[in-house]
């Protein structure tokens, strides 16, 4: 079975731009969570979506938003990018609202 | 969320046992102790979890103190592939069970 897949694997954006990151959960998993991992730190929770509804939100500004589609895939959107948004963005999926299985992440660099 | 304290780094030799400690003095009665590890360029990977009793699986063992204020992840024979950052996380399956709160973890170096 395929694991959690994230795309793209790497990307470079300019300050002020917008970015969309994508996540495909493991088949049968209805929950997707997003985490941000800055270099040298552990991952920090951003959002969880379960059955297409937001079930949890971390301490991130409104520039960060997400949604989940009927096929349970998810997008994370970040507007007005700042240099500090440079990080590894991780997606995790699970059957219920548990912690889940992580993908390998998208490395975002903001210049 | 209750906090955990881990050493920043540890070093081991290949094929020797490794004991990774974690202190969680403010653990609540409903918190499970979870361990994840993150290999270079990978997302975190589930290792093991437990509540009160010691637990074993194919990857590792988890020893939990009787007062539950500390725990130890045991890798019985470290390999080079075990070199990773290991995170000890408390998680209550009720309440805000949707998220994991990661600290900085312990960077394990395995020497050949």
């Amino acid at each position: 079975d395929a694991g959690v897949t994230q795309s793209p694997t790497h990307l470079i954006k300019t300050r002020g731009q917008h970015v969309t990151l994508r996540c495909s959960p493991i088949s049968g998993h209805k929950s997707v969570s997003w985490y941000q991992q800055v270099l040298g730190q552990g991952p920090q929770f951003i959002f969880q979506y379960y059955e297409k509804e937001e079930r949890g939100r971390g301490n991130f500004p409104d520039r960060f938003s997400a949604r989940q589609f009927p096929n349970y895939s998810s997008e994370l959107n970040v507007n007005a990018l700042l240099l500090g948004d440079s990080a590894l963005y991780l997606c995790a999926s699970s059957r219920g609202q548990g912690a889940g299985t992580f993908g390998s992440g998208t490395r975002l660099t903001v210049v | 969320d209750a906090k955990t304290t881990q050493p920043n780094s540890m070093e081991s030799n290949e094929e020797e046992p490794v004991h990774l400690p974690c202190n969680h003095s403010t653990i609540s009665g409903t918190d499970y102790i979870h361990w994840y590890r993150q290999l270079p360029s990978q997302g975190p990977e589930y290792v093991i979890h437990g509540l009160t009793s010691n637990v074993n699986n194919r990857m590792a063992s988890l020893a939990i103190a009787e007062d539950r204020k500390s725990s130890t992840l045991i890798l019985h024979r470290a390999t080079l592939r075990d070199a990773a950052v290991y995170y000890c996380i408390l998680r209550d399956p009720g309440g805000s069970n949707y998220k994991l709160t990661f600290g900085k973890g312990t960077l394990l170096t395995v020497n050949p």
Side-chain angles (χ1 to χ4, degrees):
Chain A
D1 285 341
V4 177
T5 57
Q6 294 187 243
S7 63
T9 55
H10 297 82
L11 77 165
I12 300 173
K13 290 286 190 177
T14 304
R15 277 179 298 175
Q17 284 189 318
H18 162 272
V19 69
T20 298
L21 310 181
R22 295 177 175 82
C23 173
S24 293
I26 292 171
S27 178
H29 286 192
K30 298 182 178 180
S31 173
V32 169
S33 298
W34 288 95
Y35 290 78
Q36 180 196 63
Q37 187 173 23
V38 174
L39 197 62
Q41 304 291 322
Q44 299 299 305
F45 173 77
I46 310 175
F47 286 110
Q48 190 203 46
Y49 277 77
Y50 178 68
E51 287 282 16
K52 301 178 285 295
E53 291 187 3
E54 181 182 307
R55 296 301 180 97
R57 183 182 184 115
N59 187 24
F60 280 81
D62 292 343
R63 299 184 295 107
F64 289 76
S65 63
R67 56 180 176 168
Q68 187 176 35
F69 299 99
N71 66 354
Y72 302 109
S73 67
S74 178
E75 284 182 353
L76 175 70
N77 296 284
V78 186
N79 292 324
L81 285 167
L82 303 173
L83 295 179
D85 294 331
S86 296
L88 179 68
Y89 288 85
L90 294 159
C91 173
S93 77
S94 62
R95 291 188 185 277
Q97 297 186 66
T101 302
F102 285 84
S104 295
T106 294
R107 173 72 62 187
L108 171 65
T109 302
V110 182
V111 297
Chain B
D1 294 330
K3 289 188 65 175
T4 63
T5 304
Q6 300 177 251
N8 290 332
S9 62
M10 291 187 65
E11 201 167 325
S12 174
N13 295 320
E14 201 174 8
E15 298 190 4
E16 291 184 354
V18 181
H19 291 230
L20 298 166
C22 181
N23 288 317
H24 28 77
S25 58
T26 60
I27 190 170
S28 74
T30 53
D31 282 333
Y32 280 73
I33 302 159
H34 288 249
W35 284 82
Y36 279 74
R37 71 179 185 180
Q38 188 171 20
L39 280 66
S41 303
Q42 299 288 325
E45 171 188 34
Y46 167 82
V47 177
I48 200 166
H49 77 283
L51 183 62
T52 57
S53 303
N54 295 343
V55 184
N56 300 292
N57 66 21
R58 65 174 181 83
M59 290 181 69
S61 296
L62 176 60
I64 301 172
E66 196 168 335
D67 64 6
R68 299 207 330 121
K69 294 185 177 181
S70 65
S71 61
T72 302
L73 179 70
I74 302 166
L75 307 179
H76 295 284
R77 290 183 67 210
T79 70
L80 297 179
R81 290 178 297 177
D82 291 322
V85 178
Y86 286 79
Y87 297 99
C88 170
I89 300 167
L90 302 182
R91 184 166 171 267
D92 184 345
S96 301
N97 69 335
Y98 46 79
K99 66 177 182 179
L100 294 171
T101 301
F102 290 83
K104 290 188 176 182
T106 296
L107 175 63
L108 175 65
T109 301
V110 180
N111 300 313

